[in-house]
Amino acid sequence: MSALPIVEAILTADAGVTAIAGTRIFYSVAPQGAPRPYIVIIGTVERDEILLAGQAQYPEGLVNVACHADDFPTVEKLGNAVIAALQDAAGIYRGKAATLSREDVDGFDFLPADKVHRRVLGFAVRYR
């Protein structure tokens, strides 16, 4: 298992996130023509080989959450809702005990070809 389903479970259950993005939460890439706003969950690193050998037995996944919207205020609001949902989350998600923390990724950009505003946020997910 990777950390991605854990992040998806938290985001799809959060009223603040779903009020903005609805059920439009995707892995790796959004379908072509998906209506905005939406979220794309991207796994960047899975460190299970290293951490499973230690005493804690917790693998860790680094996950980026990319928020996409037609305008800056919406993408900023969606990013803030994602932070509120994921920052310091702890519990049982998809049958795994997990804790989440913020990583040092928080960036805004604009994709001119599609006229899309984007905010990318990073999180570390420890689970077992």
Side-chain angles (χ1 to χ4, degrees):
M1 180 177 175
S2 76
L4 300 180
I6 293 167
V7 171
E8 181 196 28
I10 296 168
L11 294 177
T12 57
D14 186 82
V17 171
T18 59
I20 302 167
T23 60
R24 295 179 304 276
I25 300 173
F26 309 105
Y27 292 113
S28 299
V29 65
Q32 189 171 6
R36 294 182 289 267
Y38 60 78
I39 293 171
V40 177
I41 303 168
I42 306 158
T44 60
V45 174
E46 288 287 330
R47 297 182 178 151
D48 56 343
E49 300 85 8
I50 297 168
L51 291 167
L52 283 174
Q55 189 173 359
Q57 300 291 307
Y58 272 93
E60 180 179 61
L62 301 181
V63 176
N64 285 344
V65 178
C67 304
H68 297 252
D70 290 326
D71 56 68
F72 180 81
T74 303
V75 83
E76 182 178 37
K77 184 176 177 181
L78 181 55
N80 291 343
V82 167
I83 291 168
L86 296 178
Q87 183 169 306
D88 300 326
I92 305 295
Y93 311 101
R94 300 275 168 96
K96 300 286 184 183
T99 59
L100 284 80
S101 60
R102 286 281 306 273
E103 285 291 303
D104 59 352
V105 176
D106 188 350
F108 293 88
D109 63 5
F110 178 73
L111 309 173
D114 298 328
K115 297 183 173 49
V116 176
H117 291 265
R118 183 173 64 168
R119 184 176 185 185
V120 179
L121 303 159
F123 297 89
V125 182
R126 296 187 74 202
Y127 60 94
R128 66 169 164 188

